[in-house]
Each structure stands twice: as C-alpha cells, then as structure tokens.
Amino acid sequence: MPLYRDFSDDNATILVWKYDETEDLDVHKLLEPENAEKVKDYHPKKLLEVLMVRKLLKGLKPHSKILYKEREPFLSPKDAEISITHSFPFAAIAISKNKIGIDIEKFNPKILRVIDKFTYENERGFIPFDNEVTFYTIIWSVKESMYKIHHSKHWSLKKHYEVRPFELKHLHNIKCRVHDDTMSDEFKARVEFFDDYCFTIVEE
C-alpha cells in the first residue's frame, strides 16, 4: 500500500494511502474479530476501505485495534487518540496525543443539492457563485472533522458547527467552532487538496 501523502505535524501522525489492487488486504488478518458483525453486509469497496485503514494501523501500531463506542472509533489499548476517514480509492488515519478529526471528500456538484442541511444563509454570504462546489465541500468537510472530535447524537452540522468566512489562499487556518446554548469551543482547521479531493484536519 503506497504512501500517498504525509500531513503529520508535531502532535499527530496523519497519513493518506491510495488503493493498489496488488496489495494483500486479507480480512482474516486485518479485521478485528469484534468488528466482524459490523462489516458483514458492507459493499466490497467499503470493506476494502475498512481494511486499508487497518493496514495503515498495522504499520504504525501493530499491536493496537480499532474498536467502536456508539459508532465512534477508538484505539485499544487507548494510548492515543485516533481519527479515520476513507473515500475509495483513498483511506487515511490520524494518531495523535490530542483529540483529532480528519475527513476526506470528493468535490462533487451534488453537494449543492443539500447545502440547506448543513449551512445557514449567514454562512454563505462570502461564497463566490463561480466556485460554490469547492467552498461548500470544504465547509462540509471541516464540520465533519469537528464532529469527530466534539460530537453528540443530539447535535446537527447545521445548528451546532460553524465555519467562519475564509479564502482559498488561506486554507491552513480556517476558524471554526462547536457550540450550543451552554458552550462554545473554537478550533482552527487545515485543508489540503489532492486528486479532486478535499482533506481536512482539525486538532484540539
């Protein structure tokens, strides 16, 4: 499995791999027995994504497992924080001292059909009409990354996750926050582009 990108920093190892059909992705060797029931009905490509992430983990922490609590992944033994994301043919993993969220999204005009589900009008005023797909994909991806480190089943990407206005020339310092009636936590997102994909990192 060839390393495609390395976005690691002082606090986290953040790696992206691209699928190679010659790679050995043996479900019996890579998948944790605890997750066998979870993936039994997965589409073959989705299962490949799951196995790619496990292959990444084996290279970084060969004695660790990825388990789930209420659909959220965690490392066992829990000696670091983890975030995972995949969109075939890519898979990525982040292992960090602190909570971290990563997300990968393919740029697709279909996102314009659902902007009312994850943004308010006051989040849209700075978006240029000739580049809406790029901006909305970034917003969606940043909110997904925030959700992975600061989530609640009672929260929505539209109501409780905010991305402040940004420019494409300043993608490594996008201000964003998670909030409700009792709290407001500020974050900075880092966004990278490759192969018509958007890759987002939010670190606590």
Side-chain angles (χ1 to χ4, degrees):
M1 185 180 291
L3 177 64
Y4 189 78
R5 290 286 191 276
D6 184 341
F7 297 121
S8 302
D9 58 29
D10 291 341
N11 294 317
T13 300
I14 307 166
L15 304 177
V16 180
W17 272 265
K18 189 173 185 179
Y19 176 68
D20 180 347
E21 61 184 14
T22 65
E23 188 72 35
D24 179 22
L25 294 173
D26 187 329
V27 65
H28 302 292
K29 293 179 181 177
L30 294 173
L31 186 69
E32 307 85 355
E34 296 92 333
N35 291 323
E37 185 70 17
K38 176 182 174 69
V39 306
K40 68 176 185 177
D41 296 322
Y42 277 15
H43 185 279
K45 277 190 178 178
K46 187 171 183 181
L47 181 58
L48 280 175
E49 293 170 348
V50 169
L51 297 179
M52 288 165 68
V53 168
R54 271 61 185 179
K55 188 90 172 187
L56 298 175
L57 181 64
K58 292 293 183 189
L60 296 171
K61 296 176 74 67
H63 303 296
S64 295
K65 296 179 179 181
I66 298 174
L67 301 180
Y68 295 85
K69 181 179 181 180
E70 296 180 355
R71 298 177 60 192
E72 294 301 316
F74 66 91
L75 276 179
S76 177
K78 200 173 189 311
D79 54 0
E81 299 291 338
I82 188 173
S83 184
I84 61 178
T85 186
H86 36 72
S87 179
F88 197 82
F90 293 103
I93 191 169
I95 296 176
S96 177
K97 305 172 189 176
N98 305 315
K99 286 187 176 181
I100 187 168
I102 60 172
D103 183 68
I104 185 170
E105 301 289 341
K106 186 176 178 64
F107 292 109
N108 189 325
K110 289 181 180 178
I111 197 168
L112 300 181
R113 302 176 188 171
V114 296
I115 59 173
D116 285 336
K117 295 186 184 229
F118 67 95
T119 63
Y120 282 114
E121 283 189 23
N122 61 5
E123 279 187 292
R124 306 173 198 160
F126 70 99
I127 296 175
F129 289 112
D130 61 349
N131 207 0
E132 288 182 305
V133 173
T134 298
F135 276 80
Y136 283 119
T137 303
I138 292 170
I139 291 171
W140 172 270
S141 191
V142 169
K143 290 189 176 190
E144 284 284 341
S145 294
M146 281 195 289
Y147 177 84
K148 290 179 179 180
I149 62 174
H150 209 320
H151 66 273
S152 166
K153 64 184 178 181
H154 303 296
W155 288 350
S156 77
L157 293 186
K158 181 172 181 174
K159 293 180 180 179
H160 301 106
Y161 299 83
E162 179 186 1
V163 179
R164 298 209 168 99
F166 61 89
E167 299 178 21
L168 296 185
K169 61 184 178 181
H170 298 302
L171 289 179
H172 283 191
N173 193 23
I174 296 177
K175 293 180 180 179
C176 49
R177 71 172 181 140
V178 182
H179 61 97
D180 63 13
D181 293 338
T182 62
M183 52 74 67
S184 177
D185 284 351
E186 304 282 337
F187 297 94
K188 289 181 181 177
R190 171 182 163 199
V191 175
E192 307 282 352
F193 294 163
F194 55 80
D195 273 28
D196 206 27
Y197 282 80
C198 168
F199 184 70
T200 303
I201 303 159
V202 176
E203 297 183 70
E204 191 174 60

